[in-house]
Amino acid sequence: MNDNESAAARDARAINDADVAQLKALGYTSNFDRSMTELENFSLGFTYLSPVVGVYTLFATALAAGGPPMFWSYVIVGIGQMFVCLVFGEVVSQFPISGGLYPWARRLVGKRWAWMAGWVYGWALYVSISAVGTGGAPYFAQLLGFQPTPEITTTIAISMITISTILNVSGTRLLARVAMFGFICELIGAIVVGCYLLIFARHHPFSALFDSFNVAQGGNYLPAFLASALAALFCYYGFEACGDVAEETPNASRMIPRAMRMTIYVGGAASMWVCLALILSVPDMQAVISGKDTDPVSTVLRTAMGEWGFRAVIAVVLVSFMSCMISMQAAASRLLFAYARDEMIAGSRTLSRLSPHTHVPVGSLLVAGIVPAAIALCGLWLTNAVATIVSFAAAGIYIAFQMLVLGALMARFNGWKPAGPFTLGRWGLCINILALLYGISAIIDMVWPRSPNDPWYSNYGMIVTAAGIIVLGLIYMVTGRPYDHGNAPAGDAHLLHQG
C-alpha cells in the first residue's frame, strides 16, 4: 500500500512539474492551487451551463413562441455548440492558461483583439450573474412563502450574490466541492423529476413534439421555431468555464478538452430530458401558447406533485441556481485576474493578487460580486433598463465566443497548427468554419427584432446593449491604451510548437 501511495505521489509530482514547466514556457508562473480533479472541473462547467436553470428560466417563453417542436432546437443548438467546444478544446489544450477567452485570443491574434473579446465576455458574465440571481429570487420567495415583489426579489438576488462571493473567496477546494454537490443535485433532480413526470404526469403523446398547435403565422412555422430556439441558445454555454480555471487543474492540456466535451454531452442530454418531460406534462398547451398560463413550470410541478412535491423540486432548483452563480463568478474572477496579471486594466496590482491562504484572486472575486449586485440593485428603480441589460447576457457570451472562433480561424490562415495533446487534425479547419457559421447564425437569431408593437427595448435591447458595451470598450482602448501595458506574449500561436 505504501509503495502504491508513493508511486501515486510521484506521478502527481511529475504531472505538477510538467504543468509548471509548460506554463513557464508559455510565459507565466502560477500560485493557484492545482487541486481540481477532472470530474470537479467538468462539474464546474456543468453547473455553469446548468440545464435546470436554463430550461426553467425560459421554458414558458419558448413553448409559447414555438409550441412543442421547440424541443428540437436543443438538438440543433447542441450540435452547433459542440463545433465551438471542439475549437475551444484545441486552443486550451495548447494554451492551458487561466482566464479563458482573453489569454487564448491574445495568443491566437494579438493584444487588441484579446482585450475586446475579454471586455465583451466579462460584461456578459457580470450580467449573467445578475440574471441568475434575479431569475432564482422568485423561486426563493415562493419557497419561503413571500410574495415576489421587486423589493423582496432584489434583496434575495443580492443575498445570493453575496453568499456566492463568500464561498468563492474560500478557495479552489471549496469551489470544486460546491460544483460537485451542485452537479450531483442537479443531475439527480433532472433525472428523477423527468422520469416521474413522464411516467405519472404525462398529458401528451410523444408525437406532440411534431405538433405546433397552430403557433405559425401565415402557414410558415420557421419564424416561430427560430424565436423559440432562444431557450436552447441560453442553455449551451458554460463549457468554457472548464478552461477558465486551467491553472487550478492538473494535466490541464488533456483534462480540460475532455471536461468541455462532457459538459456538452451530459448538460445537453439533461436539458433535453427536462424539456421533454415538461412539454409532455403540460396540462393545457393552448393556455401556455395563448399566454393564459404564464408559468407552466409551476403549473406542471404543482399538478403532478402537489404543493409539497413542488417545494421539494424548487429546493433542488435553487441549488442549481446557486451553483450556477458560483461557477459563473469563478469564471468572471479568473478572467479579470488574467487581465490584471498582464497589466491590461486599472487596479492590476490588486486584482492580480492571490490570497496566500486560499490561493484565489480575492480582489477580482469582490469585483465579480459587486458589479452584478449593483446591476441587480438598479432593478428597484430601472426595471425596464435592467431587463434590457440582462437580455444582453446570452448575446454577449456568443459574441465573445465567436471572436475566439474567428481568432482561431485567422490564426490557422496565418500558419497556426494546433500543437496541444488534443487536436482535430485535418478536420480542424472544416469544424472551425462550421463553428463560425453556426455562431453568427445564433447571434442573428438572438438579436433579431420580433415584436414591432412592443417598446424599443424589447425589440432592440440586445443590439443596443451589445453596441453600447463595444463602443465603451473601444473608447477605453483608444483613450487608455490598456493593451500597451505589460510584456506578456501575444499573437505568437503560429510560432509555437509543442513536442
Side-chain angles (χ1 to χ4, degrees):
M1 178 63 71
N2 290 335
D3 290 341
N4 290 336
E5 288 177 351
S6 62
R10 285 196 299 271
D11 289 344
R13 189 162 51 250
I15 290 172
N16 182 71
D17 291 344
D19 290 334
V20 170
Q22 181 186 25
L23 194 62
K24 186 175 181 180
L26 292 173
Y28 295 99
T29 57
S30 176
N31 291 317
F32 279 110
D33 181 13
R34 281 192 189 268
S35 59
M36 188 174 285
T37 67
E38 183 175 358
L39 183 57
E40 290 168 340
N41 184 273
F42 152 70
S43 298
L44 183 73
F46 180 93
T47 52
Y48 178 161
L49 180 148
S50 191
V52 168
V53 171
V55 173
Y56 279 44
T57 300
L58 292 175
F59 179 76
T61 303
L63 190 58
M70 68 87 166
F71 169 81
W72 301 109
S73 66
Y74 283 84
V75 179
I76 297 170
V77 172
I79 294 171
Q81 283 294 83
M82 178 54 75
F83 293 143
V84 177
C85 175
L86 291 172
V87 174
F88 276 41
E90 274 196 316
V91 178
V92 71
S93 184
Q94 185 170 356
F95 302 105
I97 305 170
S98 284
L101 270 68
Y102 156 69
W104 305 339
R106 183 183 179 102
R107 305 308 284 263
L108 291 171
V109 183
K111 295 183 287 186
R112 294 177 181 85
W113 186 268
W115 194 94
M116 183 54 70
W119 172 266
V120 174
Y121 180 57
W123 279 106
L125 281 174
Y126 295 146
V127 171
S128 295
I129 294 166
S130 180
V132 171
T134 55
Y139 289 108
F140 260 115
Q142 290 183 64
L143 188 65
L144 298 173
F146 294 125
Q147 184 68 24
T149 62
E151 292 78 11
I152 288 176
T153 54
T154 300
T155 301
I156 293 174
I158 293 174
S159 299
M160 290 171 65
I161 295 170
T162 302
I163 294 170
S164 173
T165 305
I166 293 171
L167 291 173
N168 261 307
V169 167
S170 299
T172 300
R173 285 308 308 147
L174 184 60
L175 169 64
R177 288 169 182 155
V178 170
M180 273 297 298
F181 178 73
F183 161 65
I184 293 169
C185 288
E186 184 162 359
L187 188 61
I188 292 176
I191 293 172
V192 171
V193 171
C195 288
Y196 182 89
L197 292 177
L198 289 173
I199 295 171
F200 300 108
R202 187 155 61 90
H203 286 81
H204 305 278
F206 286 95
S207 60
L209 298 177
F210 300 94
D211 185 351
S212 68
F213 284 80
N214 299 316
V215 297
Q217 296 182 358
N220 186 4
Y221 177 68
L222 182 60
F225 181 75
L226 292 175
S228 71
L230 296 180
L233 292 170
F234 185 73
C235 272
Y236 275 98
Y237 56 85
F239 58 85
E240 81 282 2
C242 300
D244 289 338
V245 292
E247 293 170 36
E248 296 159 76
T249 308
N251 201 12
S253 287
R254 288 179 170 81
M255 286 173 52
I256 290 176
R258 287 200 300 266
M260 285 180 167
R261 297 194 301 275
M262 284 176 61
T263 298
I264 295 288
Y265 299 147
V266 182
S271 296
M272 288 189 285
W273 180 251
V274 172
C275 184
L276 173 68
L278 289 173
I279 288 173
L280 299 184
S281 302
V282 171
D284 188 345
M285 193 67 69
Q286 289 295 349
V288 178
I289 292 173
S290 67
K292 183 179 179 180
D293 183 358
T294 58
D295 189 5
V297 172
S298 296
T299 301
V300 167
L301 296 178
R302 282 195 167 101
T303 301
M305 302 177 175
E307 188 62 29
W308 284 106
F310 168 75
R311 288 179 177 271
V313 174
I314 292 304
V316 175
V317 169
L318 290 175
V319 172
S320 301
F321 271 92
M322 277 303 306
S323 56
C324 176
M325 179 182 292
I326 290 168
S327 298
M328 283 186 172
Q329 191 180 52
S333 67
R334 272 48 170 193
L335 170 69
L336 190 55
F337 165 84
Y339 260 89
R341 180 167 61 179
D342 291 345
E343 301 179 33
M344 299 280 274
I345 197 166
S348 291
R349 180 172 298 180
T350 299
L351 297 174
S352 63
R353 186 179 299 132
L354 297 184
S355 165
H357 306 293
T358 60
H359 303 285
V360 294
V362 175
S364 293
L365 278 165
L366 291 177
V367 172
I370 292 170
V371 175
I375 294 172
L377 183 62
C378 290
L380 287 175
W381 302 282
L382 304 169
T383 305
N384 291 333
V386 171
T388 301
I389 293 171
V390 166
S391 71
F392 160 75
I397 295 285
Y398 272 75
I399 291 169
F401 274 24
Q402 291 313 301
M403 289 188 71
L404 184 67
V405 170
L406 178 57
L409 190 60
M410 290 190 294
R412 288 182 197 277
F413 288 133
N414 197 35
W416 174 55
K417 294 182 179 179
F422 172 76
T423 67
L424 298 172
R426 59 194 178 93
W427 294 101
L429 178 61
C430 178
I431 290 174
N432 203 153
I433 293 172
L434 289 173
L436 183 64
L437 293 175
Y438 157 76
I440 292 172
S441 301
I443 293 169
I444 292 172
D445 188 30
M446 276 189 281
V447 304
W448 195 267
R450 290 187 167 91
S451 305
N453 295 325
D454 288 350
W456 68 268
Y457 47 79
S458 296
N459 277 295
Y460 302 100
M462 285 189 183
I463 298 174
V464 171
T465 309
I469 293 293
I470 292 171
V471 168
L472 287 175
L474 289 172
I475 292 173
Y476 188 1
M477 284 182 66
V478 170
T479 58
R481 300 178 66 85
Y483 53 82
D484 275 344
H485 302 161
N487 299 309
D492 60 346
H494 63 289
L495 301 176
L496 299 177
H497 300 282
Q498 182 171 317

